[in-house]
Amino acid sequence: MHVEARHPIEQLQQLAKTQKQARMRIRLQAIVLAREGKTAPQIAAMLGAARRAVQEWVSRYNRNGIDGLTEGTRTGKPPKLARDRHEQLKRRLDAGALETDGVCTLRAADVKRILENEFNVVYSLKGVYKLLHRLGYKLSGATPASQARQRRGAGRF
């Protein structure tokens, strides 16, 4: 695999060591290994990456140098609840159950209803649990009855 000698190996190694972004660090390591004569399958196995990805990184490095290794915008499904509304949801949940909620303790099913009624987003119960986890909430309740409810999807957080 041909790699352009745009930078000395020592400089690439130093950049890889000091790189804080894990994805960029792996890409730089791939370039170093390619410069050392390793093949794409060998590099892929060493770094836990796909062979094709390694080939793409080397190609991008050959065309644009280190700038070619930077990550572009990612595509993918946008989150249902926009990130700028996370704090608003956290404030609502931290306030606890309101009288209008009709319960004394909010459960995941109640959070699902709040998301639908107050935030106009529809989540599955599993999606609610994932969202709560991302927001830093932990499920509580250590009694056998609460654990059984949790398995049925009615756990409290």
Side-chain angles (χ1 to χ4, degrees):
M1 179 167 46
H2 173 72
V3 184
E4 297 286 333
R6 293 176 168 267
H7 302 88
I9 288 181
E10 297 79 19
Q11 182 184 5
L12 292 170
Q13 289 170 331
Q14 186 60 33
L15 283 171
K17 284 181 185 177
T18 59
Q19 181 57 242
K20 292 182 181 178
Q21 295 176 337
R23 292 173 187 258
M24 184 65 165
R25 183 173 47 251
I26 290 171
R27 292 176 184 152
L28 288 165
Q29 289 170 339
I31 301 305
V32 168
L33 292 170
R35 288 277 307 273
E36 291 174 349
K38 303 279 191 274
T39 65
Q42 290 171 328
I43 296 168
M46 293 169 87
L47 298 178
R51 175 193 54 82
R52 185 67 191 111
V54 171
Q55 291 171 331
E56 179 63 26
W57 298 335
V58 170
S59 174
R60 287 169 39 192
Y61 177 79
N62 285 342
R63 283 192 313 269
N64 301 314
I66 293 172
D67 291 339
L69 298 177
T70 58
E71 198 166 81
T73 57
R74 290 194 203 171
T75 59
K77 187 175 182 181
K80 292 180 181 182
L81 182 65
R83 293 199 189 283
D84 60 349
R85 299 198 69 198
H86 284 186
E87 286 302 316
Q88 182 182 0
L89 175 62
K90 286 172 81 171
R91 283 193 303 273
R92 170 61 170 95
L93 297 178
D94 290 344
L98 304 177
E99 192 173 315
T100 55
D101 292 324
V103 295
C104 59
T105 302
L106 292 176
R107 298 172 302 140
D110 302 313
V111 175
K112 182 179 183 305
R113 182 186 41 74
I114 289 169
L115 285 164
E116 291 173 9
N117 295 341
E118 298 177 25
F119 292 83
N120 297 319
V121 292
V122 178
Y123 274 84
S124 67
L125 206 52
K126 184 176 181 179
V128 170
Y129 283 117
K130 288 181 178 181
L131 176 63
L132 291 172
H133 179 75
R134 278 195 309 272
L135 294 177
Y137 291 96
K138 306 259 187 250
L139 289 173
S140 66
T143 65
S146 67
Q147 290 173 350
R149 280 194 307 273
Q150 203 172 334
R151 283 191 293 275
R152 291 192 310 264
R156 289 179 271 158
F157 65 95

